[in-house]
Amino acid sequence: MEFEHISRIEQASRKGSGEILRLGVALIYVIGTMLFAARVADGENAIILAVAAVLGGYMAINIGANDVGNNIGPAVGARALSLGVALAIAAVFEAAGALIAGGEVIGTMRTGIFDTAQIVDREALIWSMLAALMGAGLFLNLATAFGAPVSTTHAIVGALLGAGVAAHGAHVVNWQVLVTVLVSWIVSPLIGGAVAAGFLYLIKRRILFQVDMVGAAIRTVPYLLAAMSFAFSSYLLMQGRARLLEIDLVDALGIGLAAGVVTFFVARPLVVRRGRSIANTRKSVNRLFTLPLIVAAALLSFAHGSNDVANAVGPLSAIVVELTDGGAMRSAEAPVPFWTMLVGALGICVGLALFGPRIVRTIGSEITELDQMRAFCVAMSAAVTVLIASALGLPVSSTHIAVGAVFGVGFLREYLVGNQARMIAGIKAHHPEADQEAIEAFIARFSAAGAMAKGEMLRELKEQSRQQLDPANFSKSERRQLRQVYREEVVKRSQIRRIASAWLITVPASAMFGSVMFFAIRGMMLDLPTP
């Protein structure tokens, strides 16, 4: 018994040592950020900039821990990538997106939540930005600990709102931005779920519900890859347009269309060659989506890095601009120091590597079961949803899109499973009780038939049953079983409640943390009155 207790203690110690190691590495990064910021800053501003860099790095770590898993979680859950390889790919492309195309929304995050031009108190502005970074980081830290994927954009917006109201009053807040955040909470998961479910239904109808699945895949997959190329090309052009080039939505869609056409003609012979060497099974056809899924995960990481690095760098760069230019460049067009971008990019990578696997598991396997096809649909929904939202002028959240897409795929699967059960029950109900051989033979033919053939078989069966006086001579217990059609819960309801609750409290909780942190910072920074 004592040896058993010792073994349990050793296992707990190993788990605890892993947590300590991760915390230690994160602490080393934060300290390194502080020392670097103090070195590049002027003498009198060194302390404030060092503190700001620490909080910016802390916020970036939490972004990497909570938000990046949405991009690679489906690929890991579908077993297209191992966790280690997925983390490495995401880290590289997140950093590349942040450094190459990460300037588009930093100005908006820096000045869009509240109007800095109305703020006279320079110290209060700096303290409010520090408080926002600390408050949003704390909320994200808690959300990650509970395994709840939340929007880091909503978190920093809420924290800026709370800190801004506490520091300067409600009159400086841009309430229109807050309304768009609330709209995105509703719009993002609904559109993401609908788009992902639509793609999955198309794949099932055109490929999996066919007798010759390989032949159907050879005909359909090139079009899906062309659609993916179109969506991601347009998406990336829209994401990186401020830093790399000036382009509007119409031009981005035109270039994306050209990329899709080229992809179709390149991919078609490759898919034909690959299709000739695989078996006519669902598992084999699934492998055709592995490489596109990996590419999609990398491109989503790039786009995410270019967009969400602003959640950490926006307030940090506002502090830098305020200290170095004395508030003379309080505008969205003020230049962003490269070293602040580096803090955000590296922090996201550190957070992803150290703490990201928890959210990756939630997205990849704890909501619904994913394979390559389903994960491909989730990835496609992210790009397509952003394009739809851009065309309609609607704000969207990348986190809510990804989670909504996973739920959309799961609910479609649940509906199809229930529909299959209802059809089987109907087949049994239209055969006499004693004719079990006929029932089994019909179900075997029905399962092997394609989608069109299944519909025809059911229509013929119903027509035959109408010509019989008593087509279903089942006992009372058998009739009761037929009425209780089995509905498998493919989507875990507990995850719906947990994630929805986290989404609901993101803005108000972050705002509360931001305001509390502001009063704490002000209390520490103000001179104490002399007696």
Side-chain angles (χ1 to χ4, degrees), residues 322-336:
E322 189 68 25
L323 291 175
T324 56
D325 296 312
M329 299 184 69
R330 288 185 188 175
S331 69
E333 289 75 27
V336 180

Side-chain angles (χ1 to χ4, degrees), residues 248-263:
D248 59 18
L249 178 62
V250 175
D251 292 336
L253 293 176
I255 296 173
L257 181 61
V261 172
V262 172
T263 300

Side-chain angles (χ1 to χ4, degrees), residues 110-166:
R110 187 167 61 193
T111 63
I113 309 305
F114 52 83
D115 187 3
T116 56
Q118 298 184 35
I119 299 171
V120 179
D121 191 341
R122 177 170 174 261
E123 290 184 341
L125 174 62
I126 294 173
W127 297 345
S128 62
M129 291 295 177
L130 292 174
L133 287 171
M134 190 181 301
L138 285 173
F139 175 79
L140 291 175
N141 206 330
L142 290 173
T144 303
F146 285 100
V150 296
S151 171
T152 59
T153 302
H154 290 189
I156 191 63
V157 166
L160 283 168
L161 173 67
V165 170

Side-chain angles (χ1 to χ4, degrees), residues 4-26:
E4 182 180 349
H5 291 163
I6 292 173
S7 175
R8 291 179 180 176
I9 292 173
E10 289 178 346
Q11 291 176 1
S13 299
R14 283 195 294 269
K15 183 178 180 180
S17 63
E19 293 293 334
I20 293 173
L21 178 62
R22 285 191 285 271
L23 290 174
V25 173

Side-chain angles (χ1 to χ4, degrees), residues 235-279:
Y235 176 37
L236 292 174
L237 286 170
M238 295 297 296
Q239 288 292 97
R241 58 184 173 177
R243 286 287 296 275
L244 302 179
L245 72 167
E246 290 295 332
I247 190 170
D248 59 18
L249 178 62
V250 175
D251 292 336
L253 293 176
I255 296 173
L257 181 61
V261 172
V262 172
T263 300
F264 175 81
F265 288 105
V266 172
R268 191 173 187 179
L270 298 177
V271 173
V272 171
R273 189 181 310 119
R274 177 71 175 130
R276 291 170 180 167
S277 62
I278 63 176

